[in-house]
Amino acid sequence: MVRFGILIALLGIIAIEADAKAVRIDKSLIKKDLGVYLSYLVDPQNNLTIQEVSSESSNSLWQQSQQKKLGFGFTEKAVWVRIAIENPGKEDVDWILEQAYPLIDKLALYIPDENGLFIETITGDHMKFHTRPIPYHSFMLPITSPKSSIQTIYLKYETSSSLNIVLRAFSQKGLDIMKGRDVPLFWLFYGALLALFTYNVLVFVYTRNITYFYYICYILFFGLTAASIDGVAFQYLWPESLWLANEGLSVFVFLTIITAIQFTRYLPGQRWLPPRLDIVMRLELYVTSLALLIMLVSGSLKFGVLASNVLGGICALLTIFCFVYVLIQGDNTSSSLQIYVVALILVFIGVVIWILKMFAIVPDNIFTLNSLRIGGFLQMVLLSLIYPDRALQMKNELLVLNENLEKMVQERTRELENAQEKVVRAAHKAGMADMARDTMHNIGNIMNSVNTSLYYLEHIGVSEFSEKFKNANELLRANFTRLHEFICEEPKGKQLLEFYLAIETTLDRTMLEFKKTILGMASSINKIDDVIKIQKKFVNVGFFWETINVTDLIDQTLIIYERRLVESGITVIKD
């Protein structure tokens, strides 16, 4: 009974193979595209099993491919693929089946064994990278075709984004040749992006120009987008992160759009767009940011993929409007701006072609599959032309700034000198006023002493003696005719004579007091003179160095403040 079942299965397989074109795999294999050899079956409900699709009853559901690459656009339907493999040789052939498009959620390979059953191998970006049979950015599945046999292998594709079937057969030698050709191109492209990124980071650090900040962010996210599409990001950057492997591409597309919009709006270092176009680009910026937030919060990969592609297309259209605006402005725009807009047009043309390929609107070919890299490479070539022009422009701006800076420094220096002169004059006047106040105070104190001496001379020393002398002379005049009798016989005459005899002593005493008072006044007047002389020394003081005698300075200071020291009861002792 078992043998009968196996025989029926083999007959079914043979019948299926009779309807399909078999691809020859032998020792001469290097590389072969399998697109025209395969048949495909769409599984709308994703509920068919390998036994059902490999049965004879499902033959009518299979469609023969007429293209090297099949594109189904965005679909949640499962797609089955079968390929008849013929090995006419006398030895088993080990070869490698490649699914070149790496953005497949789940890929299952079914190979029939000698018992009529199927050996299942599962891979895809919903599984961590280390689970892949061959570690490579695309899906590589090792297969052994038995000698002198025809076998049919099956593959089942499941994905929530764009489905592209690109199957190729390689021998180990052919795979090595392909790696030797494609890998250097990969690293040349990403190396150029890295060099451009590093250069602009240094320029931004040096210039602090916001344009370069948006540009380095744009280069970073564009590079991550391209690396996610190529599968190298999953291979080298986050091989264990399934979230980044599946949702990272949409996130990076959103961020690329955001930074590209900002880079465009601020090029070259200022806002240059007309107001209405700038409003539209800001609206695109806000919608893209909102879509990114919705995707991150909801976790809907399907929404993220659809929204990022639609908004990417809108951003490309806005770039075309920018290009038209630059053409209309003509000579009114800088050469750097013209080069930039052309470069951005090229990269977004690549984006549009890639989006159309994702929706299966345009066929898969070497150009559409590499449209992003081609656009990015052409963009870098053109943007590299901006830097000499921009450097020359910055040099001229720097020369103008230096000239303006020199003028500003000279003007500020004159203003500072004028301000300093005003401050010096104000301080000089304030100092003079302060010293004049102290001088007047000191002179006033000395004048009090002079006034006191004058009062003494006027009212005390002279007036009392003058009154007595006047009375004595009047008494002498009254008795002048009888002078002998008056002096000898009358008491007043004797007193008058005694008074005149005492005048010498009184005059000596009075003159001594006068002399003492006058000397005190002279000393006070000399002090006034000294204070005035000291004041004169500071009247025209400027800022200059002067060698002085400290002893003289102290003496002059003591003279000025002598009165205050006396009033304060302070005694200064000089050695």
Side-chain angles (χ1 to χ4, degrees), residues 5 32 36 51 95-96 120 162 189 266 286 297 354 363 372 383 388 411 430 459 466-467 476 493 498 513 541:
K32 185 170 291 187
V36 296
Q51 287 75 22
W95 58 285
I96 299 163
E120 181 184 54
S162 176
F189 172 73
Y266 282 94
Y286 300 148
V297 172
W354 182 72
L372 272 180
L383 288 181
E411 292 176 0
H459 295 92
S466 177
E467 187 67 28
L476 183 60
E498 291 175 356
E513 291 178 358
V541 171

Side-chain angles (χ1 to χ4, degrees), residues 247-519:
E247 302 188 29
L249 175 59
S250 298
V251 173
F252 298 139
V253 171
F254 283 130
L255 293 175
T256 301
I257 294 171
I258 292 172
T259 52
I261 291 173
Q262 287 296 83
F263 180 37
T264 303
R265 292 179 65 226
Y266 282 94
L267 187 82
Q270 59 183 353
R271 297 184 180 182
W272 59 276
L273 294 172
R276 291 183 179 179
L277 184 55
D278 186 66
I279 291 174
V280 174
M281 295 199 77
R282 278 191 294 165
L283 181 61
E284 164 84 353
L285 176 68
Y286 300 148
V287 172
T288 304
S289 302
L290 180 61
L292 174 59
L293 182 62
I294 292 174
M295 174 190 167
L296 294 176
V297 172
S298 65
S300 174
L301 177 59
K302 181 179 179 180
F303 170 81
V305 172
L306 290 173
S308 61
N309 282 275
V310 171
L311 292 171
I314 295 174
C315 188
L317 293 176
L318 291 178
T319 304
I320 294 176
F321 287 135
C322 293
F323 178 70
V324 173
Y325 172 75
V326 171
L327 290 180
I328 294 174
Q329 294 297 313
D331 296 336
N332 294 327
T333 57
S334 65
S335 58
S336 298
L337 182 59
Q338 295 171 1
I339 293 174
Y340 163 73
V341 173
V342 173
L344 207 59
I345 283 289
L346 290 175
V347 74
F348 276 112
I349 288 175
V351 171
V352 170
I353 294 174
W354 182 72
I355 291 174
L356 294 176
K357 177 191 70 66
M358 296 279 281
F359 284 99
I361 298 175
V362 296
D364 285 321
N365 53 52
I366 189 171
F367 176 72
T368 58
L369 285 173
N370 295 280
S371 60
L372 272 180
R373 284 198 295 274
I374 294 172
F377 177 75
L378 294 177
Q379 178 200 40
M380 287 187 293
V381 171
L382 287 178
L383 288 181
S384 65
L385 301 178
I386 291 179
Y387 302 132
D389 179 75
R390 181 59 179 162
L392 180 60
Q393 182 181 353
M394 292 177 65
K395 181 180 179 180
N396 295 332
E397 291 175 355
L398 184 60
L399 291 176
V400 174
L401 288 174
N402 286 335
E403 293 176 359
N404 294 335
L405 181 60
E406 290 178 0
K407 293 179 181 178
M408 291 175 62
V409 169
Q410 293 174 357
E411 292 176 0
R412 295 296 183 270
T413 301
R414 285 194 295 269
E415 292 176 1
L416 289 173
E417 289 175 349
N418 294 334
Q420 183 183 24
E421 184 178 353
K422 291 179 181 179
V423 171
V424 169
R425 285 200 299 267
H428 195 123
K429 290 179 180 179
M432 290 175 62
D434 187 60
M435 292 193 66
R437 184 179 64 253
D438 291 341
T439 301
M440 293 301 103
H441 178 74
N442 294 331
I443 292 175
N445 291 336
I446 298 173
M447 288 300 299
N448 288 336
S449 177
V450 173
N451 290 333
T452 300
S453 299
L454 290 174
Y455 181 83
Y456 175 78
L457 292 176
E458 181 180 359
H459 295 92
I460 300 176
V462 178
S463 59
E464 181 181 354
F465 177 76
S466 177
E467 187 67 28
K468 290 180 180 180
F469 192 69
K470 181 180 180 181
N471 292 335
N473 285 340
E474 288 179 357
L475 185 60
L476 183 60
R477 290 189 191 95
N479 296 283
F480 189 74
T481 56
R482 49 185 296 269
L483 186 59
H484 183 270
E485 180 182 353
F486 175 70
I487 291 173
C488 294
E489 295 180 2
E490 293 185 13
K492 288 185 179 182
K494 293 180 179 180
Q495 293 177 357
L496 179 61
L497 185 60
E498 291 175 356
F499 171 75
Y500 279 110
L501 291 175
I503 285 178
E504 180 182 2
T505 304
T506 303
L507 286 176
D508 289 340
R509 185 178 68 250
T510 302
M511 290 302 296
L512 182 62
E513 291 178 358
F514 279 6
K515 184 177 180 180
K516 182 178 179 181
T517 302
I518 290 170
L519 289 175

Side-chain angles (χ1 to χ4, degrees), residues 95-230:
W95 58 285
I96 299 163
L97 175 65
E98 180 198 23
Q99 164 57 37
Y101 182 71
L103 302 181
I104 304 296
D105 293 345
K106 182 180 178 181
L107 176 62
L109 170 66
Y110 298 92
I111 302 176
D113 60 12
E114 64 275 7
N115 299 318
L117 303 177
F118 289 91
I119 301 172
E120 181 184 54
T121 302
I122 299 177
T123 186
D125 60 18
H126 275 197
M127 302 176 65
K128 294 183 178 181
F129 190 83
H130 73 269
T131 62
R132 296 190 178 186
I134 298 177
Y136 198 64
H137 59 83
S138 60
F139 300 109
M140 296 287 185
L141 301 169
I143 298 176
T144 299
S145 294
K147 62 184 179 181
S148 303
S149 68
I150 297 177
Q151 64 177 172
T152 301
I153 62 173
Y154 293 84
L155 296 104
K156 181 181 181 182
Y157 291 82
E158 298 177 54
T159 189
S160 57
S161 59
S162 176
L163 176 57
N164 295 279
I165 299 176
V166 186
L167 291 173
R168 297 183 293 187
F170 289 95
S171 65
Q172 185 60 52
K173 179 180 178 181
L175 181 61
D176 294 337
I177 293 174
M178 186 269 290
K179 288 182 178 180
R181 181 196 63 203
D182 292 348
V183 171
L185 293 177
F186 269 110
W187 294 124
L188 179 62
F189 172 73
Y190 291 110
L193 278 182
L194 181 60
L196 192 62
F197 175 80
T198 304
Y199 171 77
N200 283 278
V201 167
L202 296 176
V203 173
F204 170 69
V205 171
Y206 179 75
T207 63
R208 296 294 194 274
N209 191 320
I210 190 65
T211 302
Y212 288 100
F213 173 75
Y214 290 129
Y215 188 42
I216 60 179
C217 291
Y218 168 72
I219 295 172
L220 174 63
F221 295 127
F222 177 80
L224 291 175
T225 298
S228 297
I229 293 173
D230 293 332

Side-chain angles (χ1 to χ4, degrees), residues 223-249:
L224 291 175
T225 298
S228 297
I229 293 173
D230 293 332
V232 295
F234 190 33
Q235 180 179 2
Y236 294 105
L237 300 181
W238 43 79
E240 301 300 312
S241 176
L242 296 181
W243 186 87
L244 284 174
N246 290 275
E247 302 188 29
L249 175 59

